Structure formats: C-alpha cells, structure tokens
Amino acid sequence: MGSRKKQMAEAIKAEKKQVAFAKLNNCPTSPRKMRLVADLVRGEKADRALQILRFSPKEASRRLEKLLLSAIANWQAKNEDADIEEAKLYVKEIRVDGGAMLKRLRPAPQGRAHRIRKRSNHVTIVVDALNKTQS
C-alpha cells in the first residue's frame, strides 16, 4: 500500500471512529408510519431526540427510542475513553426503508378476495459526535 493511500485510509478510519450506527430490520410497522416519527428526531441532539421519542404517543416511537439507545451504546463501545456529555452526540442520519411484505387475502363480497399487504421496514440510525468546529 502506498504512503498516500495509507494516510487516506487512516484518516477515514479516524473519521469513522466518531460515527456509530444501529439497525432494526423487519420491524412490523409500515414505513410511512415510521417515517413520521423518524422525521421528528432527524438532526436533533441525542438527549433531545430521546425526550421527543419518550413522550411521543406513536407506537413507532418506542421502537426508535430503543434503537437510538442502542446506537448510543455502540458509540460508547467504540469510544471508551470519551465522555458522552462532552461529545455532544446527535442523530446524523436516520433512514427508513421498506422491508418484506406479508401478503394475505381477505374475503370480499360476491365470492371475491382482496389482497392485504402487511408492510414492514428497516431503520438505520447513525449517531455522530459534534466536533469543536461544528458547534
């Protein structure tokens, strides 16, 4: 490996050390309902995002709260020497993608059948620490 390539790899590795993520796959909620809650916390500081999720009446907020706590724990595992309060964690990115669909049939009038699609989603939360230059 060349010296310039090695320096770039080390720089990228140091940059990724500040970033932690958590994924939730096949959550049995429709992506549209999950995105409503995800939009509330996108870009917020981690402690404020936790408060928003804790007091939100939506069912999807409970799952996102648990996922955010997992992402914070992952960040803490990566940065054992750093303090969470000093790091000023924030939700850098939150993505809600469609998952597998369960297809069911519901009886309809006159011998027909209607298809019911039970949707699920995949959620990815990326938590990052604010640098001194970003604050």
Side-chain angles (χ1 to χ4, degrees):
M1 185 184 297
S3 63
R4 195 172 49 199
K5 191 173 183 182
K6 190 172 185 176
Q7 287 174 349
M8 283 299 295
E10 288 173 1
I12 290 171
K13 188 176 179 182
E15 188 177 303
K16 282 189 177 179
K17 188 170 173 74
Q18 294 297 316
V19 176
F21 70 96
K23 287 181 75 171
L24 174 63
N25 285 329
N26 295 319
C27 177
T29 309
S30 75
R32 187 173 179 177
K33 290 178 184 176
M34 188 66 85
R35 280 188 197 108
L36 286 173
V37 180
D39 291 341
L40 294 174
V41 296
R42 185 174 284 120
E44 293 284 343
K45 291 184 178 175
D47 54 348
R48 176 149 168 70
L50 281 171
Q51 294 300 319
I52 290 170
L53 292 173
R54 186 160 293 136
F55 295 109
S56 174
K58 297 211 174 269
E59 187 260 340
S61 66
R62 306 288 169 258
R63 297 176 197 272
L64 278 183
E65 179 185 2
K66 202 169 176 184
L67 188 65
L68 182 56
L69 286 170
S70 175
I72 291 169
N74 291 344
W75 184 89
Q76 198 170 17
K78 268 187 172 181
N79 304 287
E80 293 173 353
D81 55 331
D83 186 32
I84 291 180
E85 284 78 30
E86 289 180 16
K88 297 180 182 172
L89 294 178
Y90 73 103
V91 180
K92 182 176 182 179
E93 182 181 344
I94 182 165
R95 236 182 4 257
V96 180
D97 303 319
M101 252 188 279
L102 293 175
K103 293 180 179 161
R104 300 287 181 259
L105 293 176
R106 169 154 296 163
Q110 299 180 355
R112 294 189 194 97
H114 290 165
R115 179 168 285 170
I116 300 219
R117 294 184 303 269
K118 297 189 175 195
R119 299 174 190 270
S120 68
N121 63 55
H122 306 311
V123 185
T124 307
I125 290 187
V126 179
V127 174
D128 195 2
L130 275 177
N131 296 335
K132 304 292 186 220
T133 57
Q134 288 178 335
S135 31

